[in-house]
Amino acid sequence: MPDFLVFQLYGALASWGDIAVGEDRPSLGHPTKSAIMGLLAAALGVDRENDAVHAQLSRQYAVAVCVRANGELLRDYHTVQVPGGKRQYASRRDELQMDKLNLNTILSKRDYRTDAFYQVAVWATVDEPVYSLAILQQHLQQPVFNLYLGRKSCPVSLPLHPVISAAVSLKQAFDVYPLAEASIWTDRLAESELVSYFWEEGKLTDAQRGMTSSMTYPRRDQVSSRKRWQFANRDEFYHAESAKGVS
């Protein structure tokens, strides 16, 4: 059995970016792989410009998500004032200082999840990944950069409490996670009737997964280039069961 690094994610707001076109900025109901890899990179202190390490993390680790509470959808309506014309600006400050009499307005809608609670599992798909699970665990406990749930307006609201589980299946790694010890939020989990699991193949056998999928979804969240915001396709598998009896 591979070892699994399991940690919790909770925040008052979270936003897990889906494919966005035009003015709509939707959010998925659970963390994307690119968001999880970005969170790990931030904890490690890896700068966004370091494409090589971001690509290594994405290739060398697989992820799974357990949704303990879906939260609620919040849609935020934005108006953003920008200068007119086709001139390029180096920063928002430059935009605000130039062309003050030639202004346009961009309208957008941004989606968030409120009060959602997730567990994330990470495991290596190669023998010697660029960072070991123990190093990832250490930096999730003491991150170098601030950690966010998809956007900078969505900071984490609880410690991540990372735990390494050995000699168990993926399903067991989620189920034996010490929720009562890790989270002051556990009394709210009784309100959830369903627990959902999402995972990628990650070189796991049926026995190592401990569950079978009922659906497969295409996702475009495999990091190709963090610097250029380029992502590749992957498949994500889904399983759900009653929350009754789940620890």
Side-chain angles (χ1 to χ4, degrees):
M1 288 286 187
D3 292 347
F4 298 98
L5 174 64
V6 183
F7 55 93
Q8 65 181 11
L9 291 179
Y10 169 72
L13 288 176
S15 185
W16 313 114
D18 200 355
I19 295 175
V21 178
E23 66 181 24
D24 291 323
R25 297 292 184 266
S27 170
L28 293 173
H30 63 278
T32 59
K33 181 173 184 178
S34 57
I36 295 169
M37 292 297 104
L39 185 143
L40 291 177
L44 291 164
V46 178
D47 190 87
R48 186 180 294 277
E49 301 296 312
N50 195 337
D51 250 357
V53 175
H54 281 283
Q56 283 179 312
L57 282 170
S58 189
R59 288 195 309 266
Q60 296 178 358
Y61 277 102
V63 301
V65 177
C66 174
V67 182
R68 295 285 184 180
N70 287 300
E72 300 290 337
L73 176 66
L74 171 68
R75 179 158 292 168
D76 194 13
Y77 182 74
H78 280 247
T79 60
V80 182
Q81 197 172 64
V82 297
K86 296 183 179 180
R87 177 173 175 174
Q88 293 186 349
Y89 298 89
S91 66
R92 177 61 173 161
R93 182 173 182 272
D94 288 345
E95 284 189 337
L96 295 174
Q97 289 183 333
M98 302 294 290
D99 297 332
K100 293 184 177 180
L101 300 179
N102 181 19
L103 298 175
N104 290 332
T105 300
I106 295 176
L107 307 179
S108 69
K109 297 188 290 288
R110 303 183 185 187
D111 288 352
Y112 299 85
R113 306 299 303 188
T114 67
D115 216 25
F117 187 93
Y118 314 97
Q119 292 168 273
V120 175
V122 176
W123 67 98
T125 59
V126 297
D127 292 335
E128 295 184 4
V130 60
Y131 297 103
S132 68
L133 287 180
I135 291 176
L136 295 180
Q137 179 186 34
Q138 176 186 347
H139 281 83
L140 288 176
Q141 292 169 329
Q142 296 178 313
V144 177
F145 297 147
N146 292 333
L147 304 182
Y148 304 100
L149 304 181
R151 288 190 179 137
K152 286 188 176 180
S153 57
C154 307
V156 297
S157 298
L158 288 176
L160 275 63
H161 198 81
V163 173
I164 295 178
S165 294
V168 297
S169 68
L170 175 61
K171 174 69 162 53
Q172 289 173 319
F174 281 128
D175 291 347
V176 301
Y177 182 79
L179 278 173
E181 174 187 343
S183 175
I184 60 174
W185 201 82
T186 50
D187 59 330
R188 295 285 303 277
L189 298 181
E191 301 174 9
S192 300
E193 298 180 356
L194 196 69
V195 178
S196 301
Y197 302 86
F198 301 87
W199 69 91
E200 60 182 324
E201 185 175 321
K203 297 185 177 180
L204 295 181
T205 65
D206 291 344
Q208 290 170 333
R209 284 193 304 271
M211 51 189 165
T212 58
S213 66
S214 58
M215 292 185 185
T216 304
Y217 299 95
R219 297 292 186 217
R220 193 172 184 83
D221 61 359
Q222 178 85 19
V223 178
S224 295
S225 172
R226 179 70 68 177
K227 184 177 180 180
R228 297 191 300 271
W229 287 88
Q230 293 177 340
F231 306 94
N233 294 322
R234 70 182 180 102
D235 286 333
E236 186 174 70
F237 302 92
Y238 168 76
H239 169 79
E241 60 185 46
S242 171
K244 188 178 295 185
V246 175
S247 60

